[in-house]
Amino acid sequence: MEQPAIADYGFLSDCRSGALVSRDGSVDWWCPARFDGTAVFARLLGPRAGHYRLGPVGAGRPGHRVERAYLPDTLVLRTVHHTPEGSVAVTDALAAGDGVRGHDLGLNSPAVLLREVKGLSGRVRMALDFTPRPEHGLLIPYLRQQADGEVLATAGPATLVLRAGDLPLRVGHDSVREEFEVSAGQIITFDLAYASAYGDPPVRLDASAALQETAWAWESFRETHQYPGRYPDLVRPSATVLTGLTYGRSGAVAAALTTSLPELVGGERNYDYRYSWLRDFAMTMRALWVAACPHETSRLFEWVSRSIGRIGDDPVPVLFGLEGERDLSEHTCPHLSGFAGTGPVRIGNDAWRQRQLDVPGEILSAVWRLRDYLGGTFDHELRDMVLGLTEQVVNSWRLPDQGMWETRDEERHYVSSKVLCWVAMDSAVRLADRLGERADPRRWAAVRDEIRATVLREAWNDEIGAFTGAFGSSELDASALFLPVVHFLSPNNPRMRSTIEAVQRELGTSDGLIRRWSTDPAGFVLCSYWMVECLAMAGDTRRAEELFTRVSGHANDLGLFSEQIDLASGAHLGNTPQALSHIGLINAAWRLTDPVGL
């Protein structure tokens, strides 16, 4: 089988786990226990690592055409296959649970994958191929035919039960392969339920009713907040994707659904993004506030506060597990060849060990944003967190770190990290009246001003006429676009204006994408939207609007973004769907709505 492109996949979510389903109907990724758990289908990363296909026989032959779309304001996916013999619709979803509405999404998801086949015209021959491989493909389960026609698959820690309505299923040695015909008006439902091998048995659902309940659950969630800004046809789907990446039990937002999808096919930057990054915290809060719901913003903040715990001498990690786990030690999976043969496949992410000085700035700026909801005087735990993070910046801002791109070579004095240290101190000064007698705004302001002066002196390169990525560097870095976004400098400051033009000239492409650095072979979606924000803040609305439209045009047919876009082919690269890309879209759209309001 030819490997589907990253952009060929659609995203399903129950706010506990997520699945990827290809255009031809193959579920090639599902970690049913939770987003950062182990996969029962992982063909995305290895051809023998498990899949579950439901689609026409001979898909891809001449005369076969596919149309697909989400039901409005949901992650319920409807794929229509037009074949020479007729047309059939396959509707896919991860069940939300009976009666779930609004903010209850993900709290008690039943871990059931729903699929419905409906004949639209003619008579179409369909193929079912159920080949589960738990533990990221390490295990081959025993398959047993039950008396009621269900198929039970067990191996290691996983139990799966496949039900197919009235369709008889024949069990093979290690898979279920079946062909059947569907006529116009005929409906056949399938449900695949997961459970821990030593917990409660898999849930039984009425698949048709569960599909409708799931659609209603998503629609009711979107009704909790009406986005008032420009480009609602793009913002609302991106907000739904962000909700789909939110782990309902804690409120944490996963950076992406997947691990190890490469930033460059044949490269080595293949990382596990199924965790929640504090580096992205303030940007995520902005996007949730604008396009999702204040309730979700507050839950995310509460999760961060709890995950950090008491502030000590050690720096706060840049990422945590979705229930606040700190140790995310990384290992590789030699049995998996990787997407398009690009390994290694990694589980865990050793970036949690890195020193990244930008983390306190992300958190403290979020505290400032939420100040009116946190009270005129903070409770002792919140005060301790703010004071502890502030003092960490006072003591550490002069140190080098790994930077926002999480390089795995030597530490440097990255400009974006220093600027976020400035953000931290500026936020602390403005929050001082809520922090009690231990606040020291005069000393903090002096540190803030010293950081600013150091950045303006050390980050500027006269030769290239721009702020660079690190002190003493001559290399342009798109992270410099972050300076106006966090209000360190006005985009109309002469040096900042020169930097914006240099980044657009040297790192930009003809279709508007912005690379992170000159050797980067792909456009980075978030940086491209940062450029939109900079232009909008500078008052160059026409260029900002044109760029926003061009960048947004790189989404796939379902409005999904991965992390990067290949400059030669336009293919999606990196983990998908990528929260930061959709966050960038939402924040850029709101910046075009209100240039000074974020």
Side-chain angles (χ1 to χ4, degrees):
M1 170 194 162
E2 183 179 348
Q3 174 105 48
I6 293 172
D8 281 345
Y9 286 99
F11 170 46
L12 311 178
S13 172
D14 57 10
C15 295
R16 157 181 168 159
S17 67
L20 292 180
V21 55
S22 67
R23 290 175 64 84
D24 76 342
S26 183
V27 177
D28 291 343
W29 184 256
W30 186 30
C31 301
R34 57 187 244 184
F35 292 115
D36 52 356
T38 56
V40 295
F41 306 122
R43 185 161 69 172
L44 183 74
L45 298 175
R48 293 181 295 278
H51 64 279
Y52 172 23
R53 182 177 181 269
L54 186 59
V57 172
R61 62 192 169 124
H64 180 217
R65 180 169 56 87
V66 174
E67 298 175 306
R68 59 182 183 169
Y70 289 114
L71 302 186
D73 287 333
T74 78
L75 289 179
V76 177
L77 178 61
R78 185 174 187 266
T79 303
V80 178
H81 298 271
H82 300 286
T83 76
E85 295 76 28
S87 297
V88 63
V90 179
T91 302
D92 295 317
L94 288 173
D98 187 33
V100 169
R101 297 292 182 271
H103 300 300
D104 291 336
L105 263 174
L107 294 181
N108 293 291
S109 299
V112 178
L113 175 60
L114 303 168
R115 314 194 78 174
E116 178 189 86
V117 178
K118 181 177 182 179
L120 302 179
S121 66
R123 191 170 182 84
V124 180
R125 190 156 189 81
M126 299 288 288
L128 181 148
D129 183 350
F130 173 64
T131 306
R133 295 291 184 267
E135 290 287 299
H136 299 308
L138 280 174
L139 297 174
I140 301 176
Y142 286 102
L143 300 182
R144 300 183 182 90
Q145 186 90 49
Q146 305 295 93
D148 56 5
E150 300 174 353
V151 174
L152 176 68
T154 58
T159 297
L160 295 166
V161 175
L162 176 65
R163 307 179 183 96
D166 296 329
L167 182 71
L169 298 175
R170 292 171 295 178
V171 174
H173 172 65
D174 60 3
S175 64
V176 176
R177 292 186 173 92
E178 200 71 62
E179 291 189 6
F180 58 96
E181 289 189 338
V182 180
S183 301
Q186 185 179 4
I187 296 176
I188 303 175
T189 58
F190 302 80
D191 63 284
L192 176 63
Y194 160 85
S196 169
Y198 301 101
D200 294 331
V203 172
R204 289 176 173 268
L205 295 176
D206 179 319
S208 293
L211 265 177
Q212 185 61 71
E213 283 286 329
T214 299
W216 285 339
W218 281 102
E219 291 165 0
S220 71
F221 181 89
R222 293 305 322 145
E223 289 171 0
T224 63
H225 186 76
Q226 298 298 317
Y227 170 69
R230 300 182 63 185
Y231 306 101
D233 56 323
L234 297 175
V235 170
R236 288 179 68 86
S238 283
T240 301
V241 171
L242 272 190
T243 303
L245 289 171
T246 300
Y247 183 65
R249 296 182 183 182
S250 67
V253 178
L257 180 66
T258 56
T259 178
S260 302
L261 293 187
E263 297 178 13
L264 173 66
V265 173
E268 295 184 352
R269 291 181 60 87
N270 319 319
Y271 302 125
D272 193 347
Y273 275 16
R274 299 173 300 153
Y275 311 109
S276 194
W277 263 254
L278 300 195
R279 179 204 59 217
D280 309 337
F281 184 52
M283 288 183 285
T284 306
M285 294 276 286
R286 287 167 56 197
L288 289 174
W289 190 269
V290 164
C293 183
H295 175 82
E296 309 310 307
T297 309
S298 299
R299 290 200 68 216
L300 177 59
F301 183 82
E302 291 167 4
W303 170 81
V304 166
S305 300
R306 181 168 182 168
S307 298
I308 290 173
R310 187 180 294 277
I311 303 294
D313 294 332
D314 294 332
V316 176
V318 69
L319 72 155
F320 287 90
L322 300 178
E323 292 185 358
E325 300 89 347
R326 181 172 290 214
D327 186 344
L328 302 176
S329 297
E330 185 177 298
H331 68 276
T332 61
C333 298
H335 68 287
L336 293 174
S337 57
F339 179 84
T342 301
V345 171
R346 293 181 168 99
I347 304 299
N349 196 310
D350 274 344
W352 77 274
R353 305 176 189 273
Q354 292 184 350
R355 177 165 57 212
Q356 295 195 21
L357 300 177
D358 51 0
V359 171
E362 293 283 341
I363 299 168
L364 295 183
S365 65
V367 174
W368 173 250
R369 180 173 295 277
L370 285 175
R371 63 195 182 280
D372 292 337
Y373 291 84
L374 296 171
T377 302
F378 294 166
D379 64 39
H380 73 279
E381 290 185 2
L382 181 56
R383 285 201 307 271
D384 283 351
M385 183 180 77
V386 172
L387 290 165
L389 290 172
T390 302
E391 291 304 319
Q392 275 200 355
V393 175
V394 170
N395 295 325
S396 67
W397 75 267
R398 294 181 179 84
L399 297 174
D401 73 343
Q402 303 293 156
M404 71 185 326
W405 306 133
E406 295 173 3
T407 59
R408 296 197 173 191
D409 53 10
E410 73 271 17
E411 293 182 335
R412 295 180 175 87
H413 292 281
Y414 285 101
V415 175
S416 59
S417 298
K418 306 301 185 188
V419 168
L420 263 297
C421 288
W422 174 87
V423 169
M425 300 310 300
D426 188 58
S427 299
V429 169
R430 291 188 287 173
L431 290 167
D433 62 348
R434 303 174 189 229
L435 298 176
E437 61 185 16
R438 293 161 59 198
D440 194 351
R442 178 175 295 181
R443 181 169 60 93
W444 297 344
V447 174
R448 176 198 61 190
D449 296 343
E450 184 182 359
I451 296 172
R452 179 182 177 83
T454 302
V455 170
L456 294 176
R457 181 180 67 251
E458 302 293 338
W460 177 258
N461 185 298
D462 273 323
E463 185 175 332
I464 64 173
F467 292 108
T468 58
F471 288 179
S473 173
S474 60
E475 297 295 322
L476 276 175
D477 189 312
S479 62
L481 297 175
F482 203 43
L483 274 62
V485 173
V486 297
H487 304 289
F488 180 82
L489 277 178
S490 164
N492 289 315
N493 174 281
R495 283 186 167 188
M496 195 65 238
R497 188 166 60 245
S498 176
T499 300
I500 293 170
E501 296 301 329
V503 169
Q504 193 162 46
R505 181 178 63 253
E506 301 297 332
L507 302 183
T509 68
S510 59
D511 57 357
L513 294 170
I514 301 294
R515 297 172 296 157
R516 282 176 293 179
W517 43 73
S518 61
T519 57
D520 200 343
F524 204 82
V525 177
L526 176 65
C527 296
S528 306
Y529 282 123
W530 280 348
M531 179 63 79
V532 173
E533 289 202 59
C534 288
L535 294 174
M537 294 173 73
D540 197 343
T541 305
R542 181 186 60 79
R543 285 174 65 195
E545 291 171 339
E546 291 175 353
L547 181 57
F548 180 85
T549 299
R550 289 202 302 273
V551 175
S552 300
H554 287 281
N556 76 355
D557 57 319
L558 297 173
L560 300 175
F561 273 114
S562 64
E563 185 177 37
Q564 299 187 77
I565 307 295
D566 183 83
L567 299 182
S569 66
H572 286 203
L573 293 170
N575 287 299
T576 195
Q578 176 74 214
L580 271 183
S581 298
H582 291 277
I583 288 166
L585 184 153
I586 292 167
N587 289 336
W590 187 252
R591 189 74 74 181
L592 287 165
T593 302
D594 182 4
V596 298
L598 279 175

